[in-house]
Amino acid sequence: MFVLAIHGGAGTLKKKLMTSETKERSYNALKNALYAGYQILKMGGPSLEAVEAAVVSLEDEDFFNAGKGAVYSNQGNHELDAAIMCGKTLNAGAVSALKHVKNPISLAKKIIDDHSFIFLTGEGAEEYALLNDIPLVPNTYFSTEYRLEKFKLTQEADVVLLDHDDVQFGTVGAVALDVNGDLAAGTSTGGLTNKVFGRVGDTPIVGAGTYANNTSCAISCTGKGEFFIKHVIANTISCLLQYKGLTLKEAYDEIFNQDFFNAGGRGGLIAIDKGGNIEMPFNTDGMYRGFISSKKETFNVGIYDEKLKSFETL
Ligand code: ASP
């Protein structure tokens, strides 16, 4: 059995502002990312590689706030964070405050392959990328007109805009279970528009925004990072499965729908447990999301609180 689930952030456009063109574009972006991971899983490949491939596809798509299309920090440039984790070994690769790495998730994957350390930040991370032939690009590569407009608005209003409050596109992530029963999770983001220079959210923090453990589940989160860090969302859900025997749904009801929500936490997450069950809860207007599994090899994608739309594989 294999399963792959992905998200493109819990900050979707309000339903009334969603044109059929934008909807089509987001569906295509999600289908392409599912396809990238599905090809690997279908051939019996590892979940870690499927997660990397799906996230790279989403990073390269300027529709989402990760890789190309990332939001602007208060210094008028882009700072990117990402993490990837292997459920079998608990090895992880995490990177933050990157300014020139084209695909942050691939740098995180390189770190996990080396497994002599877990978290690299800023200039050190970029030096490591250079030494390991991970493609670097000028910071302007990540820029888009759309994000620049939003940045100018936030600067004028002097606010830090959460993707979600401003109903923008969001962070991206993927979780997968492969035919060997190994789980993996990965997440990549540009963070928050007009965020304080140097601010790092939950995305690269193992246990907060990203977590995988073969004894429980794999999780990738999206939303205002500070809340995910405070409630250590991904690891708490995993622990509720591992130590208390809860199902995924019971576990996120316990923490995500209660303490996290009551404290003002907004966002969503995607999760797969060791039995291949998928959950994709969110408490925002919508979350770009999709999944494919060996049970029924179709692309299932959706945005709002609605039945997912099914498409034949490409
Ligand atoms: N969680 C990300 C952060 O706080 C943002 C997002 O999910 O859109 O950096």
Side-chain angles (χ1 to χ4, degrees), residues 7 9-11 65 81 163-164 169-171 189-192 195 199-203 221-226 228:
H7 72 79
N65 171 23
D81 308 326
D163 249 13
H164 316 289
F169 315 125
T171 293
T189 191
L192 310 174
K195 66 184 178 182
R199 176 261 184 199
V200 176
D202 61 315
T203 298
C221 302
T222 167
K224 193 178 176 206
E226 284 68 13
F228 285 86

Side-chain angles (χ1 to χ4, degrees), residues 148-280:
L148 187 59
E149 249 173 63
K150 290 290 159 198
F151 173 59
K152 284 182 182 156
L153 288 175
T154 55
Q155 287 242 305
E156 275 161 28
D158 195 21
V159 289
V160 177
L161 267 194
L162 317 178
D163 249 13
H164 316 289
D165 292 349
D166 193 36
V167 291
Q168 300 308 313
F169 315 125
T171 293
V172 306
V175 289
L177 174 72
D178 63 30
V179 293
N180 293 317
D182 291 328
L183 288 161
T187 318
S188 180
T189 191
L192 310 174
T193 300
N194 204 18
K195 66 184 178 182
V196 172
F197 165 60
R199 176 261 184 199
V200 176
D202 61 315
T203 298
I205 298 182
V206 171
T210 308
Y211 194 72
N213 186 328
N214 275 8
T215 62
S216 54
C217 57
I219 300 189
S220 169
C221 302
T222 167
K224 193 178 176 206
E226 284 68 13
F227 287 92
F228 285 86
I229 296 171
K230 284 201 263 189
H231 295 272
V232 202
I233 288 293
N235 183 252
T236 300
I237 292 177
S238 167
C239 287
L240 288 170
L241 268 69
Q242 186 179 358
Y243 301 114
K244 295 283 180 197
L246 266 56
T247 64
L248 261 183
K249 187 170 173 343
E250 288 167 345
Y252 79 71
D253 266 347
E254 179 93 27
I255 174 75
F256 180 76
N257 286 346
Q258 293 191 40
D259 293 0
F260 171 86
F261 183 77
N262 294 336
R266 297 293 177 267
L269 57 93
I270 53 170
I272 299 177
D273 70 15
K274 63 181 180 186
N277 301 298
I278 308 169
E279 293 290 346
M280 303 196 273

Side-chain angles (χ1 to χ4, degrees), residues 42 56 66 118 126 209 235 302 313:
K42 193 178 164 56
V56 163
I118 288 179
E126 300 208 325
N235 183 252
T313 46

Side-chain angles (χ1 to χ4, degrees), residues 1-4 34-47 50 177-179 292-294 296-299 313-314:
M1 173 176 48
F2 65 79
V3 188
L4 171 69
L34 285 172
Y35 185 63
Y38 162 68
Q39 276 182 306
I40 294 168
L41 293 173
K42 193 178 164 56
M43 300 301 289
S47 51
L177 174 72
D178 63 30
V179 293
I292 186 165
S293 81
S294 50
K296 193 169 178 231
E297 296 184 27
T298 52
F299 296 133
T313 46
L314 308 172

